[in-house]
Amino acid sequence: MISHRDNNTQRIAALDERAEALKLKRGMGIADARAMHPSIDVVEADPEADRRLLEGLADWCDRYTPLVAIDAEYGLFLDVTGCTHLFGGERAMQDEILTRFFQQGFDVRAGLASTPGAAWAAARFHGNRIVAGGEEEALLAPLPLSALRIAPETRALLESVGLRTAGAVMAAPRAPLARRFGATLLLRLDQARRHGLVEPVMLTDNIERLISRLAIALKTDLERRGEGARTLALFLFRVDGAVSRIAVGTSRPMREPRLIQRLFHERLTALEQSIDAGFGFDLVRLSVLSVAAFDLVQGDLTGEAEDDDADIALFADRVRARLGEAAVLKPVVVESHLPERAVKSVPFAEAPQRPPPAAGRAAPPRTAPPMTIYPPERPVRLFRSPEPIEVPATEIPEGPPMNFRWRRALYRVARAEGPERIAAEWWRQLPGEEEAPTRDYYRIEDSEGRRYWLYRQGLYSTSPQAAPPRWYMHGVFA
């Protein structure tokens, strides 16, 4: 047997078949168990080791579905939607999983149903049962209240008013249950029962209304966990068995139903012509594929938080949902001396985001600003790759050009500033590789007032074998 401490009392946490044959049960005090059977072996529980083992088993189950979650201390949830046919059907898949666990030395029970609550109850109260669609309530009705996955305190309150089975609770009016026992009880009921549509839906407007309702239920669970959704997936189950999967991503953790509905509105609008509703969808499911911690922000007296970045992030999310991930890019600074490497464009969701402002934070003490050395002015438009130019002559060997030819046009230099020397990045140089030439940048203004940013690559040398330096156009000013 395995024991654990509960309110300063050692109790049975788990036991094997031989201990069960001795009429011992989980939750029984170790002292009572030893009084009945003094020769029993008791081992102290190790929650951390159990957790690591469960996480390892969850990773192992990725071979069956990418959606695997840990349930409490000793269970796993596998979302096998759209995966069962790869293993020969539901029964064949369940049999394979049970066989593989048995070969590894585990005694497991499995249940398969269209809802997580029904699958959980089937595994623990029936064992290795597959529940057909529409039979969830018939399965749950005769079971005790623990089959609904509700807290012991809630079970005790329900039993005190005569509701002792899951069927009795499901038959009771929902409004009084919510007022007296809280919204968590209704959530567990919804997770156990299949909520099919009265009739299949085909219109996008109807699907969006269902998304709004599902997002409201989703918000409660996210709030309880202190998390927000980063990736959401909408599954549309067609009456003929086909499944459509639509995913959206968010730049920031999100759990507001109205915002989730707006993202899916953009995505559905973009995919409206490619989604084949056939004879309609009879089941719609909204899932969270990835989450992140959700930091609450104190609002002002009107209840609104001043966060301009949140509006920009929502706008970018809506554009990406409509036009794709590459539709909105954000420049990110890169540690590099070379101008063409100093900034790169990445998808908006992958760019680092500034943390939201914290209300009520005391202003930092006012001190004298430090002296700042600003870099020379950079052009408004920087070419992705520098373009070669022809420089026929310079005032002095190391000075700016007097005129230059670029894109078959001749430009006469009126003013010049520089040089600004940028050396090669030695840490990028491979062993044995020749060192990259030094660059001397000039800000040039031609006779018509146009301004350019060009550079000379390499230095002049008196050696006849040395290659002459080359000139390039790297950008233009406004």
Side-chain angles (χ1 to χ4, degrees):
M1 294 189 309
I2 299 177
S3 67
H4 72 107
R5 183 170 296 277
D6 182 17
N7 294 330
N8 296 325
T9 302
Q10 287 293 116
R11 299 187 180 276
I12 298 176
L15 61 166
D16 58 12
E17 294 180 354
R18 294 180 60 186
E20 289 179 344
L22 297 177
K23 306 300 182 182
L24 300 179
K25 297 181 180 180
R26 291 183 58 192
M28 179 183 293
I30 295 297
D32 296 335
R34 287 192 182 279
M36 297 170 57
H37 304 281
S39 62
I40 59 175
D41 294 330
V42 180
V43 179
E44 182 70 21
D46 187 348
E48 289 300 324
D50 292 341
R51 185 71 177 183
R52 291 194 298 270
L53 174 62
L54 197 60
E55 291 175 351
L57 295 177
D59 293 337
W60 181 84
C61 287
D62 284 344
R63 67 183 62 199
Y64 298 107
T65 171
L67 302 178
V68 182
I70 295 177
D71 172 40
E73 301 175 355
Y74 52 87
L76 295 174
F77 273 119
L78 279 67
D79 187 347
V80 296
T81 303
C83 303
T84 56
H85 69 282
L86 301 176
F87 300 88
E90 296 177 350
R91 175 61 64 183
M93 182 180 190
Q94 187 183 76
D95 291 342
E96 179 181 336
I97 294 174
L98 294 174
T99 301
R100 285 179 174 267
F101 270 113
F102 177 78
Q103 292 172 348
Q104 298 179 54
F106 295 101
D107 183 15
V108 299
R109 302 289 184 271
L112 197 153
S114 59
T115 65
W120 188 92
R124 285 158 179 78
F125 292 91
H126 291 276
N128 309 335
R129 177 171 175 178
I130 297 178
V131 184
E135 297 181 359
E136 293 82 9
E137 294 195 22
L139 168 81
L140 294 166
L143 299 180
L145 296 179
S146 56
L148 294 176
R149 300 185 297 159
I150 55 181
E153 299 81 8
T154 306
R155 294 203 302 264
L157 291 175
L158 289 169
E159 291 174 352
S160 66
V161 296
L163 300 176
R164 301 182 181 277
T165 64
V169 177
M170 291 188 293
R174 292 174 63 90
L177 289 177
R179 286 195 300 268
R180 185 163 183 176
F181 304 103
T184 303
L185 175 60
L186 300 185
L187 175 63
R188 292 304 190 196
L189 291 175
D190 292 340
Q191 291 175 339
R193 294 186 293 186
R194 178 185 175 96
H195 282 268
L197 301 174
V198 177
E199 59 182 15
V201 296
M202 301 178 63
L203 300 179
T204 303
D205 292 344
N206 294 334
I207 296 175
E208 291 184 14
R209 281 194 289 269
L210 292 174
I211 293 173
S212 180
R213 291 171 54 188
L214 294 173
I216 293 174
L218 196 63
K219 180 182 179 181
T220 303
D221 192 45
L222 291 173
E223 287 179 341
R224 178 174 56 83
R225 298 170 177 266
E227 297 173 337
R230 288 299 306 271
T231 308
L232 300 108
L234 178 69
F235 295 88
L236 304 174
F237 296 84
R238 215 165 60 184
V239 294
D240 60 356
V243 181
S244 297
R245 180 182 182 274
I246 303 171
V248 297
T250 65
S251 303
R252 291 186 170 189
M254 180 184 297
R255 62 190 185 199
E256 181 60 39
R258 176 179 56 86
L259 302 181
I260 294 176
Q261 190 272 336
R262 291 173 68 180
L263 289 185
F264 276 105
H265 168 76
E266 302 293 347
R267 193 64 183 149
L268 289 170
T269 301
L271 299 176
E272 188 172 6
Q273 302 299 325
S274 60
I275 297 178
D276 183 9
F279 292 101
F281 304 105
D282 63 345
L283 183 65
V284 178
R285 187 179 68 192
L286 181 63
S287 301
V288 178
L289 302 184
S290 63
V291 297
F294 190 92
D295 297 326
L296 296 176
V297 180
Q298 175 80 30
D300 55 17
L301 294 179
T302 64
E304 298 180 356
E306 297 181 358
D307 187 2
D308 295 335
D309 288 346
D311 295 334
I312 296 176
L314 177 60
F315 169 78
D317 291 341
R318 295 182 64 184
V319 173
R320 292 189 302 116
R322 176 73 72 93
L323 303 178
E325 290 294 325
V328 182
L329 303 178
K330 187 175 183 179
V332 176
V333 177
V334 179
E335 294 183 354
S336 176
H337 293 168
L338 300 182
E340 64 268 23
R341 296 180 182 171
V343 177
K344 68 176 181 179
S345 297
V346 299
F348 190 87
E350 299 178 7
Q353 304 290 334
R354 291 189 299 177
R361 179 180 297 173
R366 300 186 62 182
T367 58
M371 183 178 66
T372 303
I373 300 177
Y374 293 98
E377 183 182 3
R378 291 290 185 261
V380 176
R381 181 187 176 193
L382 186 70
F383 298 154
R384 180 173 299 179
S385 299
E387 300 182 6
I389 61 175
E390 299 177 10
V391 176
T394 59
E395 295 181 356
I396 55 176
E398 303 295 335
M402 300 176 60
N403 53 67
F404 61 92
R405 187 177 298 277
W406 175 46
R407 297 180 178 178
R408 301 183 179 180
L410 182 64
Y411 299 85
R412 300 190 179 278
V413 177
R415 296 178 181 85
E417 295 179 357
E420 175 193 352
R421 177 158 294 182
I422 298 180
E425 299 172 339
W426 57 267
W427 58 90
R428 293 179 180 268
Q429 183 177 348
L430 299 176
E433 185 180 11
E434 184 178 354
E435 183 179 357
T438 301
R439 298 181 182 181
D440 283 344
Y441 278 84
Y442 293 90
R443 291 178 295 280
I444 300 295
E445 181 177 329
D446 66 7
S447 57
E448 297 184 6
R450 297 183 292 253
R451 302 184 66 200
Y452 310 92
W453 201 44
L454 50 85
Y455 70 88
R456 181 186 65 245
Q457 181 173 285
L459 302 175
Y460 287 99
S461 175
T462 57
S463 174
Q465 290 80 17
R470 305 181 65 181
W471 290 82
Y472 293 89
M473 177 72 66
H474 207 162
V476 296
F477 294 90

